[in-house]
Every structure is written in C-alpha cells, then in structure tokens.
Amino acid sequence: QVQLVESGGGLVQAGDSLRLSCAASGRTFSTYHMGWFRQAPGKEREFVAAISWSGIGTYYGDSVKGRFTISRDNAKNTVYLQMNSLKPEDTANYYCAAALSLSIPGLSVPAQYNYWGQGTQVTVSS
C-alpha cells in the first residue's frame, strides 16, 4: 500500500508559477513510476506528466510541454511538478498517482496507476 499526499496548490495569476509536491509513504517509493493528472469540473481526468522510477524517463501531455517539469527525489519519497507560465485553462484539481509497472503507451491512462492522492486545487485567474 502507498499513501500519496499532494500539496502546493493555490490561486495564482496567469503567467505565474507553482510547484506541486506529492509525498509518498508506505512501500518503497523508488520502485514506483509516478504520474500527475488533472481534472477540471465536468471534464475527464487528463494526463499531465509521468516519470520513471529512476527519474531518467519523463513524459508530458501536449498541453503542458515546455511549461511543466516533473521530477522526483527518491531520498525524500517525493515527486514534484514545476508549473511555469500558467494559463487559466490549467485550472483543475491536480492528482499524483503511482504505478508499479507502466508501459509508454499506458502512462497516460489513469487505470494503469495503482494508487492515487486526494488532489490539490490549482486555480489560475486571467
């Protein structure tokens, strides 16, 4: 079992930056691939970014490429999402997720992840 707790959300203006954190407890964090998803009201959960267990492989959704960066610190059991140049359309509840095994075609599929956090709200005003 893995417990995930997100933090760092808030209300910002367009163009600002935020860094989200996801702290993990439970089984060995470094064995999990990690992902960030987001969900706005009335919309499906959207893939944002993923990182391999080693941190070597990183992957991004098209809408955030070049603006968001995912990273992890296995010594701290934490994964991060640095969000720059935020836009109003980035407004959503952001979730981190953990997967024991993940194929590249499957990394954007929520059902491929085993554990989820409760989410942290990000609101970007125009």
Side-chain angles (χ1 to χ4, degrees):
Q1 189 77 11
V2 174
Q3 291 80 42
L4 303 172
V5 179
E6 303 94 336
S7 62
L11 172 62
V12 297
Q13 293 187 333
D16 285 351
S17 297
L18 271 178
R19 188 176 81 156
L20 305 184
S21 300
C22 173
S25 61
R27 296 182 64 181
T28 307
F29 173 75
S30 61
T31 65
Y32 286 84
H33 308 290
M34 299 297 295
W36 285 96
F37 289 77
R38 65 187 183 187
Q39 189 165 20
K43 295 189 177 181
E44 292 188 352
R45 194 160 292 193
E46 177 189 9
F47 171 71
V48 174
I51 188 166
S52 64
W53 66 268
S54 65
I56 293 176
T58 57
Y59 311 89
Y60 297 93
D62 289 342
S63 61
V64 306
K65 280 180 183 175
R67 299 188 299 123
F68 290 12
T69 303
I70 189 171
S71 62
R72 66 189 298 161
D73 185 338
N74 286 343
K76 295 183 177 180
N77 283 8
T78 302
V79 62
Y80 305 98
L81 184 69
Q82 178 66 42
M83 306 186 295
N84 298 331
S85 302
L86 283 161
K87 305 175 181 180
E89 50 263 43
D90 294 318
T91 295
N93 205 4
Y94 283 71
Y95 300 88
C96 72
L100 273 173
S101 63
L102 208 56
S103 61
I104 290 178
L107 55 84
S108 64
V109 179
Q112 297 298 312
Y113 291 78
N114 306 102
Y115 302 102
W116 290 84
Q118 293 300 307
T120 185
Q121 179 66 37
V122 172
T123 303
V124 184
S125 64
S126 57

